Amino acid sequence: MPDVVRTDYVPLLERIAADIAPLIGSGTPAEYIPALASVDRRQFGMAIADLDGNVFGVGDWRVPFSAQSITKVFALALALAEGGDSLWERVGREPSGNPFNSLVQLEYENGIPRNPFINAGALVVTDRLQTLTGDASSELLEFLRQESRNPDIGFDAEVAASEQEHGDRNAAVAHFMASYGNIDNPVPALLEHYFWQCSIEMSCADLAGAARFLARHGLRADGTRLLTRSEAKQINAVMLTCGTYDAAGEFAYRVGLPGKSGVGGGIVAVVPGRCTLAVWSPGLDARGNSLAGVAALDRFTTLTGLSVF
């Protein structure tokens, strides 16, 4: 791991917040999940975690929000750590080009999802983690608490119930994959763990800290190894190509970092060997990514020159 000089990122974060201020409040919260529809879209937070364990922030960076699909990154890391590369026999690594909840490709690809970050792929990952651990959602929650060093991270029961109530498409996807033998656990139990996973509440500070192992080439906060360098590289690569729904090309073009977004308005991004970032603003663009959040990450890479390109 390269030596990284500690930097006070606060002046940079304050400049980014000022630069993108006109965009805060733009976009639309995820209205198809009622528990998210009422979130105040005028909120904005951003945090940077360096490799020394420091976390810097601006705005609403300590306000918890619904992490939603960002949790798919951490579930994938745990599934790889626990079960190894055999996971890739059940889920691909290619961009889908379709909405995150689409069923279109599953039929002509024999129930194998394109990547682990669309809903179908994330269900396969959660199914694998459930088989490996016996309690996928609790295992994930404990991991996030440890890596973020925040024991108060928890599930949001209201969001989980809302997801369950409006989860027909996820149920259809899971049953369809089960018909091809790509789901091992009972679908109702799998869906329960998946909805609880998506309901986890974290702040920008929590997310940036929890994702630090991806910038540390697989090393956890306590110095133990979660992933090999190759596995950490693989997750970062899939984040770059598949992490922002069907806008991954635009995100790579504008931001140039591995990233994973969630419809709660959060995005986590990784500068391998340097730092991790998390940004949150509830207003989403047409593809389900935080409008102000993408702009803030764009400003970060533009001002610092830090990207993978």
Side-chain angles (χ1 to χ4, degrees):
M1 184 168 53
D3 292 333
V4 178
V5 176
R6 180 178 297 180
T7 303
D8 183 356
Y9 286 102
V10 172
L12 171 65
L13 289 169
E14 290 175 342
R15 177 175 176 182
I16 292 170
D19 288 348
I20 62 93
L23 295 176
I24 298 172
S26 301
T28 305
E31 294 180 337
Y32 66 94
I33 302 175
L36 301 183
S38 60
V39 175
D40 184 355
R41 73 183 70 185
R42 294 170 296 179
Q43 298 176 96
F44 171 83
M46 189 171 184
I48 298 176
D50 68 18
L51 301 194
D52 295 327
N54 304 298
V55 183
F56 307 88
V58 71
D60 300 306
W61 67 297
R62 293 194 179 276
V63 176
F65 60 91
S66 187
Q68 292 291 314
S69 287
I70 301 175
T71 61
K72 296 173 182 178
V73 172
F74 304 101
L76 175 61
L78 286 178
L80 285 174
E82 295 277 351
D85 287 349
S86 61
L87 174 68
W88 298 120
E89 298 171 7
R90 300 178 53 186
V91 61
R93 300 184 292 270
E94 299 294 336
S96 70
N98 286 308
F100 61 90
N101 59 356
S102 173
L103 290 82
V104 172
Q105 290 167 330
L106 284 174
E107 184 164 13
Y108 59 81
E109 295 183 351
N110 300 314
I112 304 294
R114 277 288 179 96
N115 67 70
F117 296 148
I118 56 175
N119 286 13
L123 285 163
V124 168
V125 171
T126 300
D127 179 66
R128 179 64 176 148
L129 189 59
Q130 177 66 12
T131 298
L132 291 166
T133 67
D135 191 347
S137 55
S138 294
E139 192 82 7
L140 176 61
L141 180 62
E142 182 57 29
F143 174 77
L144 291 170
R145 287 172 171 173
Q146 290 176 3
E147 294 306 294
S148 67
R149 299 173 178 171
N150 181 2
D152 295 326
I153 291 172
F155 301 114
D156 185 322
E158 181 185 0
V159 170
S162 186
E163 299 258 12
Q164 179 78 42
E165 185 178 354
H166 297 84
D168 290 340
R169 184 174 288 266
N170 284 321
V173 167
H175 282 293
F176 193 80
M177 292 189 296
S179 74
Y180 280 95
N182 202 20
I183 296 295
D184 294 332
N185 294 280
V187 168
L190 167 61
L191 290 171
E192 182 176 4
H193 281 280
Y194 180 70
F195 294 142
W196 280 113
Q197 170 187 315
C198 291
S199 79
I200 291 174
E201 278 198 329
M202 300 176 72
S203 67
C204 291
D206 298 330
L207 278 167
R212 191 186 278 116
F213 71 94
L214 290 171
R216 287 164 51 89
H217 308 296
L219 290 180
R220 295 188 61 167
D222 63 4
T224 61
R225 183 164 290 282
L226 175 71
L227 303 170
T228 66
R229 289 181 69 98
S230 180
E231 288 169 338
K233 178 197 71 175
Q234 291 166 3
I235 292 179
N236 282 329
V238 179
M239 288 172 68
L240 179 67
T241 57
C242 308
T244 46
Y245 309 121
D246 54 341
E250 178 70 11
F251 188 82
Y253 176 83
R254 290 185 61 186
V255 177
L257 293 174
K260 182 71 195 84
S261 60
V263 295
I267 307 173
V268 67
V270 181
V271 185
R274 294 295 294 269
C275 62
T276 51
L277 305 97
V279 62
W280 171 58
S281 188
L284 308 179
D285 62 22
R287 291 176 170 177
N289 299 308
S290 172
L291 198 152
V294 173
L297 293 171
D298 183 358
R299 289 300 292 154
F300 171 84
T301 53
T302 298
L303 292 170
T304 65
L306 293 175
S307 83
V308 298
F309 300 112

